[in-house]
Amino acid sequence: LKAAVCIDGGFLGEAEISYAGPNASARARLAVETITARMGRRAPGLPVRADAVGLVSVLGDAKGDLLAAAWDASALEDVRVRFAAQADEQALVSVLLDEVEALYCAGPAGGAGVRRRTTPRLASASCLVEGEAARPAVSMLGGRP
Amino acid sequence: VSDWTEMPLHRVAHARSGDKGNRLNIALVCRHPALFDAIAEQMTAECVRAMFASRRPTQVVRYDLPKLHAFNFVLDDVLEGGVNASLGLDGHGKALSFLLLAAPVRVRARDLSLLADRARLPRAAE
């Protein structure tokens, strides 16, 4: 039988902040550089992804090469920067979300509209199991017995 | 040679993409059967690999479906872990079909006129 196995995948943390008006894309870029530097000190080794909605947020790569190359040519006046990280411990993910929120007071001028969200994740893989090992059964989560 | 015109792929074909783990499938369908050969010649697996270079594909294979005047491109390891692991917004790769549709292609004028004829066909009764 083909089986799908799901295991605890830790937590996905996402936080966003907006910059608008004159030099918005330059301030958004500075926000990315600031978060990258601060996370490098506070959570070394944790991969942090940055996207700029309206510039590179979908077709980009995890390393950020595409976004880094796109800043120079951009003169956007409305940019929403999105950061994301994943870790087994929720506290580690919260470090990123706290740093993004802290951009309000200690970051480029005019940062606005921070939203933060933490989502538990499942990791999955496919494999084969012996048919005799399977016992058909159903269990309802949250249902009455 | 002057009857060839260059234009973005989306003018002459449509695409839809989706995921299986960390693997991306892109279905590319020509808007007219007559376009199949020209698109097959230009949209090679190597060309698609180059377009997706920033996602570092480990393998790109094109499967041809001439009876459907369509192709299935399979790109391995381009979804940054896929929907369960990607840190990006589009873990499924659903928007990546439009990266493909931005490709420049050369199309014969007579094939373009076939497309125009098709656009003028009356709609089926509803």
Side-chain angles (χ1 to χ4, degrees):
Chain A
L1 292 175
K2 187 193 172 202
V5 180
C6 290
I7 57 167
D8 187 343
F11 295 88
L12 170 68
E14 299 168 283
E16 302 176 359
I17 185 168
S18 285
Y19 296 91
N23 302 320
S25 51
R27 286 180 284 132
R29 179 184 197 169
L30 181 58
V32 171
E33 290 166 1
T34 303
I35 291 293
T36 305
R38 289 177 184 168
M39 288 303 291
R41 287 197 299 273
R42 294 198 57 197
L46 178 70
V48 173
R49 183 191 175 108
D51 293 296
V53 177
L55 180 62
V56 176
S57 72
V58 176
L59 303 182
D61 54 310
K63 268 180 68 193
D65 292 347
L66 232 55
L67 178 59
W71 286 121
D72 281 337
S74 81
L76 297 174
E77 297 221 338
D78 189 322
V79 188
R80 187 150 181 86
V81 185
R82 171 186 178 272
F83 298 93
Q86 182 168 348
D88 288 339
E89 308 88 52
Q90 190 170 357
L92 196 53
V93 163
S94 296
V95 172
L96 171 64
L97 308 191
D98 292 344
E99 284 295 347
V100 175
E101 194 160 10
L103 289 174
Y104 272 146
C105 304
V114 170
R115 295 289 186 277
R116 46 187 290 171
R117 176 174 56 226
T118 306
T119 315
R121 267 191 150 176
L122 288 175
S124 67
S126 298
C127 64
L128 295 172
V129 294
E130 292 291 340
E132 298 93 68
R135 303 263 180 285
V138 174
S139 65
M140 300 282 284
L141 289 179
R144 277 186 218 171
Chain B
V1 193
S2 60
D3 65 333
W4 289 81
T5 314
E6 187 171 297
M7 62 190 60
L9 180 60
H10 68 81
R11 290 276 306 280
V12 292
H14 186 55
R16 187 176 166 98
S17 55
D19 67 309
K20 204 67 181 165
N22 200 17
R23 176 179 286 154
L24 178 72
N25 273 261
I26 310 176
L28 178 69
V29 186
C30 305
R31 292 189 189 274
H32 193 287
L35 295 158
F36 181 82
D37 288 342
I39 292 180
E41 193 173 301
Q42 297 173 67
M43 297 305 298
T44 61
E46 294 73 42
C47 145
V48 172
R49 177 188 277 271
M51 293 190 76
F52 284 80
S54 69
R55 291 295 187 93
R56 300 167 189 86
T58 55
Q59 181 173 255
V60 177
V61 179
R62 186 184 84 186
Y63 297 92
D64 294 5
L65 299 102
K67 289 180 181 173
L68 297 173
H69 41 278
F71 310 89
N72 182 28
F73 292 93
V74 179
L75 290 78
D76 287 359
D77 303 309
V78 294
L79 294 179
E80 322 219 279
V83 74
N84 290 326
S86 170
L87 295 180
L89 286 169
D90 182 23
H92 294 101
K94 285 177 180 289
L96 293 176
S97 55
F98 274 76
L99 180 54
L100 185 73
L101 288 173
V105 288
R106 285 165 286 105
V107 182
R108 273 185 300 258
R110 68 165 191 264
D111 292 340
L112 274 186
S113 66
L114 290 171
L115 273 185
D117 290 346
R118 174 162 285 194
R120 277 196 295 272
L121 286 176
R123 280 170 178 269
E126 291 177 15

